[in-house]
Amino acid sequence: MRYRIKNSLPGTMTTIVVYLLLFILQFGLIYYLMTIVSEATRYARIAFLFLDFAVAMHIINDHTNDSTYKIAYLFVMIIFPVFGSFLYLFSKWDLIRRSVSDRIHTSMAVSEPLYHQDPEVLKEVLEDDPLIHNTLRFLWDTEGYPSYPLQGWRYYPLGEEYIDDLIEELKKAKNFIFMEYFIIQQGKCWDRIMDVLVDKVRSGVEVRVLLDGTALVTKVPFTFARELKKLGIEAAIFKPIVPVVSLYQNHRDHRKIAVIDNRVAFTGGVNLADEYANEVELFGHWKDTGVKVTGPSVNSFTNMFLTMWHVANGRERDRECIYYTPFDEEDFQTYSGGTITPFGDDPYGAHRIGKEIICDMINQSTEYLHITTPYLILDEETKGDLIHLAESGAEVIIVTPHIPDKRVVFLVTRSYYKDLLRSGVRIFEYSPGFIHAKNFISDGRKTLLGTINCDYRSLFLHFECGAYIYDEALTGEVEGDFQKILSQSEEITLERTLSFSRTQRALGRILRIFAPMM
């Protein structure tokens, strides 16, 4: 409570009203254009018909978008001719996106010389498993993310354990603390963290906090970053909400990264708010997971943070990162049979990296694939791969929440159950409450931990991060936690889906059309 930041109610309300008015004005303009069409001459209507046709052809031939996304917009255009076209054009007319994209690629270019791949690590993996080697080679050759020997690590089966250990590591900081989170909310957890951060600043430690713009108003005051700076903490907001109809609003920083002294790094599903540590109960018991790593792989997490930090600040990135990521050649000569590949994913890149890794895990699995995810809104390719894996005889189990945090998304999630169940995929719902963990476990050797949900936003729209791990010991621990989750979960059968009300099933199917827009 010592450093609790208060909101300015008049300032907040004024901003909300202004933003709402600007959004309403833009939708009103689109609606006005549509009314013009209804009253237009025959020739004008023909012109607008050609506009619809041209926009539809652009959507169909746009290789950057998934087929589900295309169907959603085409459906809107069918229901609302012309209006749908203008809505699409407004959303794609995105000068802000181009600016952000340019800053990201410029910042990432500065990082390239700071990533190092030990060829011996890839050589050892090639001898162990050529398919996994192909995934690691893709991450390095195409995306520039190296694989490291997996050295020290700790897996957290609960958010409260993650936050407790994070605070203990923060107390050990001597040089710098970097924190990048999708959600920060003032409460018991953040109060404990703030006490440590302020004490560290006073002792000379550099502290930077990066927060996604959607957290303003709903989670923290508008003045949050400004007040942190008064306490000596450097703070930045990634892409504050801008009152324009634009896909810019969709591309959020969903990453969760904490780095201390380039010595230790944290990632996983845990945000810095009380529900993640079960300090408050919103949707039953909140099940979340995370991981802490030490060793050379921390370099990648540090560089990923610095990339996003400079994008958020809007300043050119210099070579300061050399100070934060010192390269020691000896760190890369200790392959011990396990690897870790930290990576970032962004919607402006040539590949959807998180989706590529998930599809690799599906297609390379031979015995089992176990998944925990809070949302199950699949594109056709991923759904098809899961169905094929189950039909080939491998065990495929997916665990979703029983108590949802978003009712509409829950209806869409359940709309996928029948297709998957019919193919042999087993589905469970976490009975005690809401499962927020994003874990992918395969064949006792491969694990993907991080921030990636099985939904359109994570796979196509958000900035995400993860750690792709090839190691029997860590995978065994995550799998052990998965088995505990199953023991607390209810299996959903085809017969069980019939008990869902007809209204819920119908709504789920209808809403599924608009899943990419959710």
Side-chain angles (χ1 to χ4, degrees):
M1 289 292 289
R2 285 192 297 167
Y3 306 106
R4 190 69 65 88
I5 299 168
K6 295 182 179 180
N7 216 338
S8 167
L9 186 59
T12 300
M13 293 306 298
T14 300
T15 303
I16 291 174
V17 170
V18 170
Y19 275 37
L20 281 175
L21 287 174
L22 288 172
F23 277 120
I24 291 170
L25 179 64
Q26 291 169 89
F27 280 106
L29 176 59
I30 296 174
Y31 179 77
Y32 175 69
L33 290 171
M34 187 177 72
T35 60
I36 291 176
V37 176
S38 64
E39 300 172 0
T41 65
R42 184 165 65 94
Y43 296 106
R45 290 185 183 183
I46 293 173
F48 283 120
L49 180 63
F50 275 106
L51 171 67
D52 273 349
F53 178 78
V55 171
M57 291 303 296
H58 172 76
I59 293 172
I60 291 169
N61 291 288
D62 186 356
H63 71 278
T64 63
N65 290 322
D66 171 69
S67 60
T68 309
Y69 175 91
K70 296 177 182 181
I71 290 170
Y73 263 107
L74 290 172
F75 187 83
V76 172
M77 289 174 61
I78 292 171
I79 302 299
F80 303 107
V82 182
F83 177 85
S85 293
F86 279 113
L87 180 64
Y88 180 79
L89 292 173
F90 266 62
S91 68
K92 292 291 283 187
W93 188 63
D94 198 346
L95 297 178
I96 305 173
R97 167 182 171 149
R98 179 167 297 181
S99 172
V100 174
S101 177
D102 289 344
R103 293 205 302 271
I104 287 171
H105 293 136
T106 299
S107 188
M108 290 178 69
V110 176
S111 293
E112 284 182 13
L114 304 173
Y115 288 111
H116 302 272
Q117 178 62 70
D118 179 3
E120 290 301 315
V121 171
L122 295 184
K123 181 180 177 181
E124 294 282 353
V125 175
L126 176 61
E127 294 174 0
D128 290 344
D129 192 317
L131 291 178
I132 293 175
H133 171 265
N134 285 348
T135 302
L136 302 189
R137 188 173 58 181
F138 159 76
L139 285 168
W140 173 242
D141 290 349
T142 305
E143 302 299 332
Y145 290 111
S147 300
Y148 304 89
L150 180 62
Q151 296 181 354
W153 57 269
R154 179 181 174 187
Y155 171 72
Y156 303 98
L158 292 170
E160 40 267 51
E161 295 180 13
Y162 174 102
I163 288 177
D164 285 345
D165 200 33
L166 172 62
I167 290 171
E168 291 306 309
E169 292 292 350
L170 292 174
K171 291 177 181 177
K172 300 175 187 176
K174 295 181 180 179
N175 299 311
F176 66 85
I177 295 170
F178 295 158
M179 305 181 78
E180 176 184 352
Y181 284 87
F182 180 57
I183 292 174
I184 293 175
Q185 188 169 17
Q186 297 185 115
K188 293 179 181 179
C189 290
W190 182 246
D191 287 346
R192 292 170 61 200
I193 291 170
M194 274 292 290
D195 285 345
V196 177
L197 296 184
V198 173
D199 287 344
K200 285 298 171 182
V201 166
R202 290 173 177 171
S203 67
V205 174
E206 179 185 1
V207 179
R208 300 188 190 185
V209 174
L210 177 58
L211 176 65
D212 185 73
T214 54
L216 296 181
V217 183
T218 58
K219 302 297 181 182
V220 295
F222 272 114
T223 58
F224 188 72
R226 190 190 318 154
E227 295 301 319
L228 288 183
K229 291 175 183 177
K230 290 180 182 178
L231 295 169
I233 298 171
E234 295 185 59
I237 305 298
F238 182 82
K239 294 177 68 172
I241 297 296
V242 176
V244 294
V245 178
S246 167
L247 291 178
Y248 169 89
Q249 316 292 352
N250 279 324
H251 302 146
R252 309 315 315 175
D253 182 2
H254 194 242
R255 301 180 183 186
K256 292 96 179 167
I257 296 174
V259 181
I260 298 101
D261 294 342
N262 205 44
R263 173 184 57 82
V264 58
F266 291 77
T267 193
V270 183
N271 283 299
L272 306 182
D274 286 353
E275 62 265 33
Y276 295 84
N278 288 292
E279 292 286 357
V280 296
E281 184 175 304
L282 299 181
F283 313 104
H285 180 265
W286 191 291
K287 168 67 176 178
D288 221 326
T289 60
V291 66
K292 174 179 74 175
V293 296
T294 58
S297 63
V298 178
N299 279 301
S300 286
F301 286 107
T302 305
N303 272 319
M304 284 191 284
F305 171 87
L306 288 168
T307 295
M308 298 297 277
W309 174 263
H310 286 276
V311 170
N313 277 322
R315 297 197 300 262
E316 287 225 13
R317 183 173 172 185
D318 54 28
R319 298 303 296 268
E320 61 160 10
C321 43
I322 295 175
Y323 165 74
Y324 299 107
T325 58
F327 171 55
D328 187 345
E329 191 77 36
E330 294 182 359
D331 286 341
F332 296 83
Q333 306 300 323
T334 55
Y335 179 75
S336 58
T339 64
I340 178 172
T341 313
F343 66 90
D345 196 359
D346 75 83
Y348 305 145
H351 299 94
R352 305 281 75 80
I353 303 174
K355 182 179 181 298
E356 295 280 355
I357 294 174
I358 290 170
C359 286
D360 272 4
M361 290 189 72
I362 297 171
N363 294 319
Q364 293 171 12
S365 295
T366 57
E367 299 175 19
Y368 71 81
L369 177 68
H370 294 160
I371 300 171
T372 61
T373 179
Y375 317 115
L376 188 65
I377 303 177
L378 300 170
D379 63 283
E380 288 303 308
E381 180 184 14
T382 307
K383 187 182 79 169
D385 285 348
L386 286 170
I387 288 173
H388 177 71
L389 177 62
E391 290 178 340
S392 70
E395 179 181 74
V396 182
I397 303 178
I398 303 173
V399 182
T400 62
H402 183 66
I403 302 176
D405 66 334
K406 301 177 180 70
R407 192 70 188 173
V408 169
V409 176
F410 186 57
L411 291 175
V412 178
T413 289
R414 281 186 159 184
S415 76
Y416 283 87
Y417 285 3
K418 276 190 177 181
D419 293 344
L420 296 170
L421 290 168
R422 285 185 180 126
S423 71
V425 175
R426 298 175 67 191
I427 296 175
F428 290 73
E429 289 184 353
Y430 180 65
S431 300
F434 184 69
I435 186 164
H436 192 252
K438 306 100 166 39
N439 294 355
F440 300 79
I441 317 137
S442 174
D443 293 349
R445 296 175 298 168
K446 294 166 285 186
T447 304
L448 174 61
L449 302 174
T451 66
I452 304 168
N453 298 317
C454 280
D455 69 352
Y456 195 91
R457 287 195 164 275
S458 276
L459 297 178
F460 293 95
L461 297 176
H462 284 334
F463 293 82
E464 304 282 359
C465 69
Y468 180 62
I469 297 160
Y470 173 50
D471 181 75
E472 291 186 3
L474 194 153
T475 300
E477 189 160 329
V478 181
E479 173 62 19
D481 184 39
F482 183 84
Q483 294 301 323
K484 291 179 182 177
I485 293 169
L486 283 187
S487 69
Q488 298 174 286
S489 303
E490 174 191 0
E491 183 163 10
I492 306 298
T493 61
L494 271 172
E495 292 73 23
R496 175 78 171 82
T497 62
L498 297 177
S499 68
F500 302 157
S501 75
R502 289 185 178 181
T503 302
Q504 289 180 343
R505 283 182 278 168
L507 278 174
R509 287 286 180 177
I510 294 169
L511 292 168
R512 186 163 154 182
I513 298 171
F514 304 100
M517 300 178 179
M518 293 182 183

